Amino acid sequence: MNGANIVSRYEEDGYVVLPGVIDEALTAEAQGHVEWMGEKYPDIRPEQYHHHLIVDDPFWIRLCTDPRLIDVIEPFLGPDIALFAAHYISKPPGDGQPVLWHQDGNYWPLEPMEVITIWLAVDDSTPENGCMRVIPGSHRDQKLYRHRRTEGENVLSSELDVKVDESEAVDVVVPAGGVSLHDPYLIHGSEANLSDRRRCGLTLRYIPTTTRIKRENFPAYLCRGKTVDGINHYPPLPRFRPGDHYPFKGCDLPPWN
């Protein structure tokens, strides 16, 4: 699928799947990183490895700014691209939590709502282990619906406060190393993982550097191009510290040393 077809499919359906974006070596490093995080943060559910952990984690920045991922989204956002947020949702086998129906834009303090999500499959993501499900075309009116707080165990502790016709839902199957892209207005979610295989994905939220994050000193990371004076906070990149950080290929080289 060429770039024009990718954009056309995304605009029509609100999502698109691209296999084989990163290679096996980097995918394996990401898998190891998630396991390392489980050892470092034993009291955090693996579905909740949130953006605040990025600030002092060189591998996370290295992965999120990989040029192959940025190449995928440049046709959508243009040449000046920043990472706004990222979140591993690692559903362990047997009791991985569901993500109830929602729209991403409901949670984001962005002005304007010009943002695109790459969902990077760290593991093979299938219906059996709780892959993402979407309502194709539900983004087209560019409307955010009311959400409500929920009881019980689920990743977001909230869900859409409108009825979703699940007969229209489509499973988004993505092999490890592949990605799916989805629109901030797209209605989507995922089932619990009751299988014997982990299902880990990394959600990556990219914005053009002209989009403002309406939260003071919230960190953004330049991925390509240039920043805009007075818009967003770009902290220094974390330096790699042996013993404190996950070791990865190139961690001893600039900009990590």
Side-chain angles (χ1 to χ4, degrees), residues 133-159:
R133 306 174 72 215
V134 303
I135 307 298
S138 55
H139 67 299
R140 291 178 194 152
D141 61 5
Q142 299 287 281
K143 176 181 178 181
L144 291 176
Y145 297 97
R146 185 190 304 273
H147 289 59
R148 65 187 175 200
R149 303 295 294 174
T150 55
E151 302 293 333
E153 294 186 349
N154 64 83
V155 173
L156 299 177
S157 299
S158 62
E159 66 178 337

CSV table of all heavy atoms in Angstrom, one decimal, residues 133-159:
chain,number,residue,atom,x,y,z
A,133,ARG,N,-10.3,-3.5,18.9
A,133,ARG,CA,-11.5,-3.6,18.1
A,133,ARG,C,-12.0,-2.1,17.8
A,133,ARG,O,-11.9,-1.3,18.6
A,133,ARG,CB,-12.6,-4.4,18.8
A,133,ARG,CG,-12.2,-5.7,19.2
A,133,ARG,CD,-13.3,-6.4,20.0
A,133,ARG,NE,-14.4,-6.8,19.2
A,133,ARG,CZ,-15.7,-6.8,19.6
A,133,ARG,NH1,-16.0,-6.3,20.7
A,133,ARG,NH2,-16.6,-7.2,18.7
A,134,VAL,N,-12.4,-1.9,16.6
A,134,VAL,CA,-12.8,-0.6,16.2
A,134,VAL,C,-14.2,-0.6,15.5
A,134,VAL,O,-14.7,-1.6,15.0
A,134,VAL,CB,-11.8,0.1,15.2
A,134,VAL,CG1,-10.4,0.1,15.8
A,134,VAL,CG2,-11.8,-0.7,13.8
A,135,ILE,N,-14.8,0.6,15.5
A,135,ILE,CA,-16.1,0.8,14.8
A,135,ILE,C,-15.7,1.6,13.5
A,135,ILE,O,-15.5,2.9,13.6
A,135,ILE,CB,-17.1,1.5,15.6
A,135,ILE,CG1,-17.4,0.8,16.9
A,135,ILE,CG2,-18.4,1.7,14.8
A,135,ILE,CD1,-17.9,-0.6,16.8
A,136,PRO,N,-15.5,1.0,12.4
A,136,PRO,CA,-15.0,1.7,11.2
A,136,PRO,C,-15.9,2.9,10.8
A,136,PRO,O,-17.1,2.7,10.9
A,136,PRO,CB,-15.0,0.7,10.1
A,136,PRO,CG,-14.8,-0.6,10.8
A,136,PRO,CD,-15.6,-0.5,12.1
A,137,GLY,N,-15.3,4.0,10.5
A,137,GLY,CA,-16.1,5.2,10.1
A,137,GLY,C,-16.7,6.0,11.2
A,137,GLY,O,-17.3,7.1,11.0
A,138,SER,N,-16.5,5.6,12.5
A,138,SER,CA,-17.1,6.3,13.6
A,138,SER,C,-16.5,7.6,13.9
A,138,SER,O,-16.9,8.4,14.7
A,138,SER,CB,-17.1,5.4,14.9
A,138,SER,OG,-15.8,5.0,15.2
A,139,HIS,N,-15.4,7.9,13.2
A,139,HIS,CA,-14.7,9.2,13.4
A,139,HIS,C,-15.2,10.3,12.4
A,139,HIS,O,-14.8,11.4,12.6
A,139,HIS,CB,-13.2,8.9,13.0
A,139,HIS,CG,-13.0,8.7,11.5
A,139,HIS,ND1,-13.5,7.6,10.9
A,139,HIS,CD2,-12.3,9.4,10.6
A,139,HIS,CE1,-13.2,7.6,9.6
A,139,HIS,NE2,-12.5,8.6,9.4
A,140,ARG,N,-16.0,10.0,11.5
A,140,ARG,CA,-16.2,10.9,10.4
A,140,ARG,C,-16.9,12.2,10.7
A,140,ARG,O,-16.6,13.2,10.1
A,140,ARG,CB,-17.1,10.2,9.3
A,140,ARG,CG,-16.3,9.1,8.6
A,140,ARG,CD,-17.2,8.4,7.6
A,140,ARG,NE,-16.6,7.1,7.1
A,140,ARG,CZ,-17.3,6.0,6.7
A,140,ARG,NH1,-18.6,6.1,6.6
A,140,ARG,NH2,-16.6,4.9,6.4
A,141,ASP,N,-17.7,12.2,11.8
A,141,ASP,CA,-18.3,13.5,12.1
A,141,ASP,C,-17.5,14.3,13.1
A,141,ASP,O,-17.8,15.4,13.4
A,141,ASP,CB,-19.7,13.3,12.8
A,141,ASP,CG,-19.7,12.5,14.0
A,141,ASP,OD1,-18.6,12.1,14.5
A,141,ASP,OD2,-20.8,12.2,14.6
A,142,GLN,N,-16.3,13.8,13.4
A,142,GLN,CA,-15.3,14.5,14.2
A,142,GLN,C,-15.9,15.1,15.5
A,142,GLN,O,-15.7,16.2,15.9
A,142,GLN,CB,-14.6,15.6,13.4
A,142,GLN,CG,-13.9,15.2,12.2
A,142,GLN,CD,-12.5,14.5,12.6
A,142,GLN,OE1,-11.6,15.1,12.9
A,142,GLN,NE2,-12.5,13.1,12.5
A,143,LYS,N,-16.7,14.2,16.2
A,143,LYS,CA,-17.4,14.6,17.4
A,143,LYS,C,-17.0,13.7,18.5
A,143,LYS,O,-16.8,12.5,18.4
A,143,LYS,CB,-18.9,14.4,17.1
A,143,LYS,CG,-19.8,14.6,18.4
A,143,LYS,CD,-21.3,14.4,18.0
A,143,LYS,CE,-22.1,14.6,19.3
A,143,LYS,NZ,-23.6,14.3,19.0
A,144,LEU,N,-16.7,14.4,19.7
A,144,LEU,CA,-16.4,13.7,20.9
A,144,LEU,C,-17.7,13.4,21.7
A,144,LEU,O,-18.5,14.4,22.0
A,144,LEU,CB,-15.4,14.4,21.7
A,144,LEU,CG,-14.0,14.5,21.2
A,144,LEU,CD1,-13.1,15.4,22.1
A,144,LEU,CD2,-13.4,13.1,21.0
A,145,TYR,N,-18.0,12.2,22.1
A,145,TYR,CA,-19.1,11.9,22.9
A,145,TYR,C,-18.8,11.8,24.4
A,145,TYR,O,-17.7,11.8,24.8
A,145,TYR,CB,-19.7,10.5,22.4
A,145,TYR,CG,-20.1,10.4,21.0
A,145,TYR,CD1,-19.3,10.0,20.0
A,145,TYR,CD2,-21.4,10.9,20.6
A,145,TYR,CE1,-19.7,9.9,18.7
A,145,TYR,CE2,-21.8,10.9,19.3
A,145,TYR,CZ,-20.9,10.4,18.3
A,145,TYR,OH,-21.3,10.4,17.0
A,146,ARG,N,-19.9,11.9,25.2
A,146,ARG,CA,-19.7,11.9,26.6
A,146,ARG,C,-19.1,10.5,27.0
A,146,ARG,O,-19.5,9.5,26.5
A,146,ARG,CB,-21.0,12.1,27.3
A,146,ARG,CG,-20.9,12.2,28.8
A,146,ARG,CD,-22.3,12.2,29.4
A,146,ARG,NE,-23.2,13.3,28.9
A,146,ARG,CZ,-23.2,14.5,29.4
A,146,ARG,NH1,-22.4,14.8,30.4
A,146,ARG,NH2,-24.0,15.4,28.8
A,147,HIS,N,-18.2,10.5,28.0
A,147,HIS,CA,-17.7,9.4,28.6
A,147,HIS,C,-18.1,9.4,30.1
A,147,HIS,O,-18.3,10.4,30.7
A,147,HIS,CB,-16.2,9.3,28.5
A,147,HIS,CG,-15.7,9.0,27.1
A,147,HIS,ND1,-16.0,9.8,26.0
A,147,HIS,CD2,-14.9,8.0,26.6
A,147,HIS,CE1,-15.4,9.4,24.9
A,147,HIS,NE2,-14.8,8.2,25.3
A,148,ARG,N,-18.1,8.2,30.7
A,148,ARG,CA,-18.4,8.1,32.1
A,148,ARG,C,-17.4,7.2,32.9
A,148,ARG,O,-16.7,6.4,32.3
A,148,ARG,CB,-19.8,7.5,32.3
A,148,ARG,CG,-19.9,6.0,31.8
A,148,ARG,CD,-21.3,5.5,31.8
A,148,ARG,NE,-21.4,4.2,31.3
A,148,ARG,CZ,-22.5,3.7,30.8
A,148,ARG,NH1,-23.6,4.3,30.8
A,148,ARG,NH2,-22.5,2.4,30.3
A,149,ARG,N,-17.3,7.5,34.2
A,149,ARG,CA,-16.4,6.6,35.0
A,149,ARG,C,-17.0,5.2,35.2
A,149,ARG,O,-18.2,5.1,35.1
A,149,ARG,CB,-16.2,7.3,36.4
A,149,ARG,CG,-15.6,8.7,36.4
A,149,ARG,CD,-14.2,8.7,35.8
A,149,ARG,NE,-13.3,8.0,36.7
A,149,ARG,CZ,-12.0,7.8,36.4
A,149,ARG,NH1,-11.5,8.2,35.2
A,149,ARG,NH2,-11.2,7.2,37.2
A,150,THR,N,-16.2,4.2,35.4
A,150,THR,CA,-16.7,2.9,35.4
A,150,THR,C,-16.2,2.2,36.7
A,150,THR,O,-15.2,2.6,37.3
A,150,THR,CB,-16.2,2.0,34.3
A,150,THR,OG1,-14.8,2.1,34.2
A,150,THR,CG2,-16.8,2.5,33.0
A,151,GLU,N,-16.9,1.2,37.1
A,151,GLU,CA,-16.5,0.3,38.2
A,151,GLU,C,-15.9,-0.9,37.6
A,151,GLU,O,-16.0,-1.2,36.4
A,151,GLU,CB,-17.7,-0.1,39.1
A,151,GLU,CG,-18.5,1.1,39.6
A,151,GLU,CD,-17.7,1.9,40.7
A,151,GLU,OE1,-16.8,1.3,41.3
A,151,GLU,OE2,-18.0,3.1,40.8
A,152,GLY,N,-15.1,-1.6,38.4
A,152,GLY,CA,-14.5,-2.9,37.9
A,152,GLY,C,-13.2,-2.6,37.3
A,152,GLY,O,-12.8,-1.4,37.0
A,153,GLU,N,-12.5,-3.7,37.0
A,153,GLU,CA,-11.1,-3.5,36.5
A,153,GLU,C,-11.1,-3.4,34.9
A,153,GLU,O,-11.6,-4.3,34.2
A,153,GLU,CB,-10.3,-4.8,36.8
A,153,GLU,CG,-10.1,-4.9,38.3
A,153,GLU,CD,-9.1,-6.0,38.7
A,153,GLU,OE1,-8.8,-6.9,37.8
A,153,GLU,OE2,-8.7,-6.1,39.8
A,154,ASN,N,-10.7,-2.2,34.5
A,154,ASN,CA,-10.4,-2.0,33.1
A,154,ASN,C,-9.4,-0.9,33.0
A,154,ASN,O,-9.1,-0.2,33.9
A,154,ASN,CB,-11.7,-1.6,32.3
A,154,ASN,CG,-12.3,-0.3,32.8
A,154,ASN,OD1,-11.9,0.8,32.4
A,154,ASN,ND2,-13.3,-0.4,33.7
A,155,VAL,N,-8.7,-0.8,31.8
A,155,VAL,CA,-7.5,0.0,31.7
A,155,VAL,C,-7.7,1.4,31.9
A,155,VAL,O,-6.9,2.1,32.6
A,155,VAL,CB,-6.8,-0.3,30.3
A,155,VAL,CG1,-5.7,0.6,30.1
A,155,VAL,CG2,-6.4,-1.8,30.2
A,156,LEU,N,-8.8,2.0,31.4
A,156,LEU,CA,-9.0,3.4,31.4
A,156,LEU,C,-9.9,3.9,32.6
A,156,LEU,O,-10.1,5.1,32.8
A,156,LEU,CB,-9.6,3.9,30.1
A,156,LEU,CG,-8.8,3.7,28.9
A,156,LEU,CD1,-9.5,4.1,27.6
A,156,LEU,CD2,-7.4,4.4,29.0
A,157,SER,N,-10.6,3.0,33.3
A,157,SER,CA,-11.6,3.3,34.3
A,157,SER,C,-12.7,4.2,33.8
A,157,SER,O,-13.3,5.0,34.6
A,157,SER,CB,-10.9,3.9,35.5
A,157,SER,OG,-9.9,3.0,36.1
A,158,SER,N,-13.0,4.1,32.5
A,158,SER,CA,-14.0,4.9,31.9
A,158,SER,C,-14.5,4.3,30.6
A,158,SER,O,-13.8,3.4,30.1
A,158,SER,CB,-13.6,6.4,31.7
A,158,SER,OG,-12.5,6.4,30.8
A,159,GLU,N,-15.6,4.8,30.1
A,159,GLU,CA,-16.1,4.2,28.8
A,159,GLU,C,-17.1,5.3,28.2
A,159,GLU,O,-17.5,6.2,28.9
A,159,GLU,CB,-16.8,2.9,29.0
A,159,GLU,CG,-18.1,3.0,29.8
A,159,GLU,CD,-18.8,1.7,30.0
A,159,GLU,OE1,-18.6,0.8,29.1
A,159,GLU,OE2,-19.6,1.5,30.9
